[in-house]
Amino acid sequence: MKNIYKLLTALLCAGVMSASVVSCSSDDENSNKSPNPPDPNPAFEVIEEQDVNAEDMMKMVYTGNEENALPEDLAAQQSNKEDLEKQLQELNDQISGGNGTYHRNVTYKVVTLKYNSIDGNGDPITLSGKLTLPQVSGYYVMIEDFLLNCHATNMDFTGNGISNAMFKEMAAYSFAVLDPDYIGFGVTNGKPQTYLCQKLIARQCVDMELAAIEYMKQQGIKFKDGYGTYVTGYSQGGGNAMAVGRHLQVTSEGREANKQVKLKRLYCGAGPYSPIGTFQHWLESDSLCLTAVLSMVIKGQQEGHSDIMKGIQLTSYFSDEYLASGVPQAFDENDIDKAMLTLLGDAKLTTIKYPDPEVKTAYENLMGVPWMQFSKIMSDEFKDPNSHIRQALLQCLEMERVDDWTPTVPVEIYTAPRDNVIPVKANAISVYEKFKNEGAPVTLSYAGSLANHITAQIAWTNHVKGILKNLE
C-alpha cells in the first residue's frame, strides 16, 4: 500500500554530463587562524555529507516506479536506462562535446542541511533538506542553475525526510539540486504536517535555497553568470512549486530573496492550485478519491492556520460511520500506517464507498484505493453551510489558493485527463485559463489519455527532465 504514495517519489532517467570544474575550498589558508565564535543563529548546519557515484545514482533513480506505470512510460524508461548504460561503458574520463564536458566519473555530493525558517505561527523553526552537487575527481563543477524540487505527498513518516532522487541526477548537468523537507519530515519528524499550507511551504523552500547558496559560497563553489532557478513539483509539490513562484514575485520577503534565487521557470505537475476549488468539486460531485488525504488537509490547516481553526477538533468534521473505522483518529495521532491499513481493509467502510462500477474498476482495482461518498464521510455539523467548522475550513482553503497572481516567468502546468485526485477542471484548466487571459507566459500540457494522477507522474518526470537536459 505504501508503494502507492512512495510512487510519487519514484524516479526515472539519469545522466552523466557536467561543465567547468573549480576546486574545492581548502582549509590550509585558515589553519593558523583562531576559530571564530559560533554563530548563535547560523544560516545552515551540515548534518551529513555523502558521495554517490553515477552508477549508484542510476540505481536509485530506477527503483520502485514500475508498479503503476503505463506501457509507453516503461518503454521510454527502459530506453533511457539503456542509453545511460551505453554512455557509462563508452565514455572516456573526459570527452569534449556540446556546451560542456562529459565526464564518465561524475560523483554526486549529497549534503543534508538544517536551515532556519518560520512555522505556521510565524515563529522560528529549524527545517532540513538535501542539496545535491556534481563533482569530478573531487572537484566541484561550476553550477549553471539551481533546480528546486518540491516533493509530492508522502505518508511514510520514517524520520529520514523525503530527499527523493527524482531529480538528483540532474546535478550531472551542472544543476545544484534542492530537495527541501516539509514540516513533519526530516528533523521535524513527529510534528504534524502543515499539509496544503502552500504559501508557508513556499517560504520554507526558498529559505532552504538561500541557506544552500550560503553553504556553496563557503565551499568556494562558482556560479555561472546568468544562473537562475527552475522549480519543479508534482501533486502537492505542483501546488507548492506554483506557490514558490508566487512567493518570489508577490511578497516582499520573496522579492528580496529572488535577488539571489533568480527564478527562471516553473514546472507544476497536477497540483492543487485552488484548494477551495478542489473542495467545492468534492462537495458537488459527492465523491472523493484518496479519502485519507482529507484528514491531512484538515489537520494541515489546524497547524498552519491555528488562529482560524482554534478549538476545532479534527473528528468534528466526520460522520459517526467514518469515525467508526478509526481512520481520522489514526491521522490525528500521526499513526499513518494504522490509518492506511484501516482505510484499505476495514469492512465497515464498504457502505460509504462510491458506487460507480467504472470508478471502482479504474481506481480501486488499479491503485487499491477506495473512492467514497463525500456526503457519507462528513458530519451533520459540517453539512450546515453556516457552521463554524465549515466556514473556518473554507476560509483557510481560500487563503491557500496560489492562482491569485499573474506570473511573469514561464509556467508549464501539466495534468492527466483522468486525474480525479486533483480535479483537472478546478485546478489545471481553471488556473491555465486565468493566467492566459491575464497575458502570463503559461502553457498547459497533458499526459496520455489513459493516465491518471498516479501514473502521469512518470510521464511528467520524463517530460521535465528532457527539457532541463536540453537547456541552452
Side-chain angles (χ1 to χ4, degrees):
M1 174 256 116
K2 278 189 182 179
N3 288 338
I4 297 166
Y5 301 96
K6 288 185 176 179
L7 178 64
L8 297 181
T9 58
L11 324 170
L12 307 164
C13 42
V16 290
M17 175 176 162
S18 59
S20 308
V21 176
V22 298
S23 65
C24 301
S25 59
S26 171
D27 291 331
D28 291 346
E29 62 184 8
N30 296 319
S31 59
N32 296 321
K33 294 182 180 180
S34 300
N36 293 322
D39 186 341
N41 189 34
F44 66 87
E45 180 182 340
V46 176
I47 301 175
E48 181 184 31
E49 292 183 337
Q50 292 178 290
D51 292 305
V52 181
N53 63 34
E55 289 86 351
D56 287 342
M57 180 63 76
M58 183 184 72
K59 292 175 184 177
M60 292 169 59
V61 167
Y62 284 94
T63 299
N65 59 331
E66 294 87 359
E67 182 177 354
N68 294 306
L70 296 175
E72 57 266 33
D73 292 325
L74 290 175
Q77 176 183 323
Q78 182 62 30
S79 176
N80 288 333
K81 185 176 181 180
E82 291 170 357
D83 287 345
L84 177 60
E85 290 172 340
K86 185 178 180 180
Q87 288 179 28
L88 290 172
Q89 292 170 0
E90 294 180 355
L91 287 177
N92 294 322
D93 284 354
Q94 295 187 3
I95 304 177
S96 297
N99 295 324
T101 302
Y102 287 94
H103 297 282
R104 184 172 187 266
N105 293 320
V106 170
T107 58
Y108 300 82
K109 177 71 74 173
V110 182
V111 185
T112 305
L113 296 174
K114 290 200 299 187
Y115 66 97
N116 302 315
S117 191
I118 60 171
D119 64 13
N121 296 316
D123 296 326
I125 190 171
T126 299
L127 300 173
S128 60
K130 292 192 184 291
L131 166 66
T132 304
L133 298 165
Q135 289 186 329
V136 175
S137 301
Y139 294 92
Y140 283 111
V141 169
M142 179 180 285
I143 297 302
E144 297 184 6
D145 285 301
F146 286 82
L147 178 56
L148 175 59
N149 180 47
C150 304
H151 72 70
T153 297
N154 188 297
M155 298 182 184
D156 181 17
F157 291 176
T158 63
N160 295 321
I162 293 297
S163 62
N164 62 73
M166 183 183 294
F167 287 101
K168 272 186 171 58
E169 80 280 6
M170 292 305 300
Y173 288 76
S174 300
F175 283 99
V177 182
L178 297 156
D179 290 293
D181 293 325
Y182 306 151
I183 292 178
F185 301 97
V187 296
T188 59
N189 175 56
K191 289 182 176 290
Q193 294 187 49
T194 49
Y195 188 76
L196 240 58
C197 296
Q198 301 180 132
K199 295 173 183 177
L200 172 65
I201 293 173
R203 159 71 186 269
Q204 294 169 344
C205 290
V206 169
D207 284 344
M208 185 193 169
E209 180 164 348
L210 296 177
I213 290 172
E214 183 62 28
Y215 166 83
M216 294 164 66
K217 287 179 178 178
Q218 292 189 18
Q219 295 296 308
I221 298 172
K222 304 299 183 183
F223 305 157
K224 184 178 179 179
D225 290 343
Y227 83 85
T229 299
Y230 295 83
V231 185
T232 62
Y234 189 85
S235 192
Q236 180 194 8
N240 292 338
M242 184 81 75
V244 167
R246 180 190 182 279
H247 175 71
L248 292 171
Q249 183 175 321
V250 173
T251 70
S252 57
E253 297 92 344
R255 288 194 297 269
E256 183 64 26
N258 202 36
K259 294 176 182 178
Q260 296 188 69
V261 172
K262 302 179 182 179
L263 179 65
K264 282 189 173 181
R265 192 176 185 111
L266 304 173
Y267 296 98
C268 307
Y273 318 118
S274 177
I276 188 67
T278 301
F279 211 86
Q280 294 293 347
H281 171 83
W282 294 338
L283 284 168
E284 294 168 7
S285 66
D286 194 25
S287 63
L288 175 63
C289 184
L290 292 177
T291 318
V293 172
L294 183 55
S295 293
M296 295 179 65
V297 171
I298 298 170
K299 194 167 181 62
Q301 302 314 301
Q302 289 177 318
E303 295 299 316
H305 296 285
S306 58
D307 53 341
I308 298 173
M309 300 290 284
K310 185 177 181 179
I312 299 177
Q313 299 297 315
L314 174 68
T315 52
S316 66
Y317 284 92
F318 298 109
S319 66
D320 291 341
E321 193 169 12
Y322 192 49
L323 289 174
S325 71
V327 172
Q329 297 92 322
F331 271 99
D332 208 18
E333 298 166 1
N334 270 5
D335 191 342
I336 307 303
D337 287 341
K338 177 181 177 182
M340 297 310 300
L341 288 172
T342 301
L343 181 64
L344 296 176
D346 196 328
K348 297 176 184 176
L349 297 175
T350 57
T351 58
I352 57 178
K353 286 185 180 179
Y354 196 69
D356 190 322
E358 181 179 350
V359 169
K360 180 177 177 61
T361 300
Y363 287 91
E364 291 193 20
N365 290 352
L366 174 64
M367 299 192 296
V369 178
W371 272 47
M372 296 187 182
Q373 286 187 268
F374 193 77
S375 59
K376 291 187 177 182
I377 295 171
M378 309 310 291
S379 67
D380 290 338
E381 182 180 4
F382 172 82
K383 291 174 186 176
D384 178 0
N386 298 315
S387 67
H388 173 59
I389 65 170
R390 178 161 172 163
Q391 290 299 315
L393 179 59
L394 296 185
Q395 180 183 352
C396 293
L397 296 179
E398 177 67 33
M399 293 171 66
E400 292 302 335
R401 63 188 311 158
V402 291
D403 62 346
D404 58 342
W405 64 303
T406 304
T408 58
V409 299
V411 178
E412 180 180 273
I413 298 173
Y414 189 97
T415 191
R418 296 193 176 191
D419 192 334
N420 283 296
V421 177
I422 305 295
V424 177
K425 186 175 181 180
N427 291 281
I429 293 176
S430 66
V431 176
Y432 166 73
E433 291 178 347
K434 176 184 181 294
F435 285 170
K436 185 178 180 181
N437 291 336
E438 293 168 348
V442 60
T443 57
L444 177 62
S445 302
Y446 288 91
S449 60
L450 297 179
N452 60 40
H453 185 75
I454 303 297
T455 60
Q457 195 234 5
I458 296 174
W460 173 82
T461 307
N462 269 334
H463 170 71
V464 175
K465 284 182 179 179
I467 294 172
L468 294 174
K469 288 178 179 179
N470 290 284
L471 292 172
E472 293 294 334

